Amino acid sequence: MSIGVFDSGYGGLTILRELRRYLPQYDFTYLGDNARAPYGSRSFDVVYEFTRQAVVKLFDMGCHLVILGCNTASAKALRTIQQRDLPVIAPDRRVLGVIRPTVEVIGSLTHSRHVGVVATEGTIRSHSYDLEIAKLHPDIVVTGQACPLWAAIVEAGEAESEGAEYFVRKRVNQLLECDPLIDTIILGCTHYPLLMKALRKAVPAGVNIVPQGEYVATSLVDYLRRHPEIDAHCSKHGTVSYYTTESPERFKECANVFLHEDIKVEHIDL
């Protein structure tokens, strides 16, 4: 009866961290499809199928609510799962993503009405942020910048290295060259908050940097308040279980970069 959190790898741990901070009494189950990561450059069909398999697995494990703590999965699979799969396989269960909560608040964060998005190639190519922002804030101009190496730098434990600073500065400069009026940059990948030190050096003063975790967490708090029938299915013992499709030892090692705590991990097949 826990809340499921899914990601292709480790980035969703930054979302889980904020969910635990805002909802400490709830139980969570984290599933990382690390054996098939990264999802960023995969096709829509492949990402959808992998994500659907993970959602079904979390449903089988008792989760009535699943958060896709992955921008690529949210961009390429969420809508299809919500509209096509849930009515057939689990009409009483819900799957939510990480893009919409960020989009909902972005209008209050930008003054110039020019927003940048840094993300994986898959998320940028999906135009999910552009489309969602256009629905809620049609006056905002959105510019995307793919940052293909950033997630790998984080997982390699090099987030605070000189190399990280170089690649972060390179992509930020490219983004701002495309639109110098940008005053707010959305971190459209859940790995990127770990690059905050390099980002603050690269981003000019006065430009907001927007990580997603806090907004996803506060949105979920509000969602559960508005949907007591879903909240009633969420157990509340303050526990977290971790599963990976890859090596548990490898997952523990990398997860420490994100969580800074020792965890127990089990292998699982999808």
Side-chain angles (χ1 to χ4, degrees):
M1 303 286 282
S2 59
I3 298 173
V5 180
F6 169 70
D7 187 21
S8 59
Y10 304 99
L13 293 170
T14 63
I15 300 297
L16 175 65
R17 185 176 60 201
E18 293 301 305
L19 293 176
R20 291 172 64 190
R21 185 161 72 93
Y22 280 86
L23 296 162
Q25 73 274 33
Y26 285 75
D27 297 327
F28 293 95
T29 297
Y30 185 90
L31 171 56
D33 188 14
N34 306 86
R36 300 188 293 195
Y39 281 13
S41 59
R42 293 186 182 272
S43 70
F44 273 77
D45 289 343
V46 170
V47 172
Y48 158 69
E49 181 57 28
F50 287 179
T51 305
R52 186 192 64 80
Q53 291 171 5
V55 167
V56 170
K57 176 66 73 173
L58 286 165
F59 283 170
D60 290 343
M61 296 167 71
C63 300
H64 273 67
L65 173 63
V66 174
I67 310 299
L68 302 185
C70 172
N71 280 271
T72 302
S74 295
K76 295 185 174 183
L78 177 61
R79 188 176 300 276
T80 303
I81 289 173
Q82 288 176 330
Q83 296 180 353
R84 189 172 76 187
D85 296 320
L86 288 187
V88 176
I89 65 173
D92 62 331
R93 304 195 185 196
R94 297 292 180 268
V95 180
L96 305 175
V98 294
I99 293 176
R100 184 76 178 192
T102 312
V103 168
E104 288 175 347
V105 302
I106 203 66
S108 64
L109 300 177
T110 175
H111 297 290
S112 71
R113 315 309 282 175
H114 288 251
V115 169
V117 179
V118 288
T120 65
E121 179 184 356
T123 298
I124 296 300
R125 289 174 61 186
S126 75
H127 298 290
S128 292
Y129 277 96
D130 314 50
L131 296 171
E132 291 298 322
I133 290 175
K135 292 176 186 176
L136 296 183
H137 314 286
D139 62 316
I140 292 180
V141 177
V142 182
T143 303
Q145 175 65 54
C147 305
L149 292 177
W150 288 16
I153 289 170
V154 170
E155 292 192 7
E158 298 293 332
E160 298 190 6
S161 67
E162 291 183 4
E165 291 184 8
Y166 169 80
F167 285 109
V168 167
R169 185 180 303 107
K170 178 179 179 180
R171 297 304 182 187
V172 168
N173 287 345
Q174 288 176 342
L175 175 67
L176 296 177
E177 284 173 6
C178 289
D179 185 356
L181 296 179
I182 288 172
D183 72 347
T184 303
I185 298 176
I186 297 173
L187 304 186
C189 173
T190 50
H191 284 71
Y192 295 176
L194 274 72
L195 292 166
M196 191 62 74
K197 183 176 179 180
L199 281 160
R200 286 186 175 131
K201 289 184 178 181
V203 172
V207 176
N208 296 318
I209 304 172
V210 183
Q212 298 171 291
E214 179 180 354
Y215 301 111
V216 173
T218 55
S219 178
L220 182 57
V221 171
D222 180 64
Y223 180 86
L224 293 172
R225 178 186 59 80
R226 291 184 291 106
H227 295 85
E229 75 282 4
I230 299 296
D231 184 67
H233 285 291
C234 299
S235 54
K236 302 172 180 69
H237 305 289
T239 67
V240 187
S241 301
Y242 297 91
Y243 297 88
T244 177
T245 57
E246 234 270 0
S247 160
E249 290 75 21
R250 167 66 175 163
F251 186 94
K252 284 181 64 175
E253 179 182 341
C254 288
N256 187 259
V257 175
F258 293 81
L259 300 175
H260 303 294
E261 63 177 284
D262 190 30
I263 60 174
K264 294 182 179 179
V265 189
E266 294 184 38
H267 175 83
I268 198 169
D269 292 315
L270 296 180

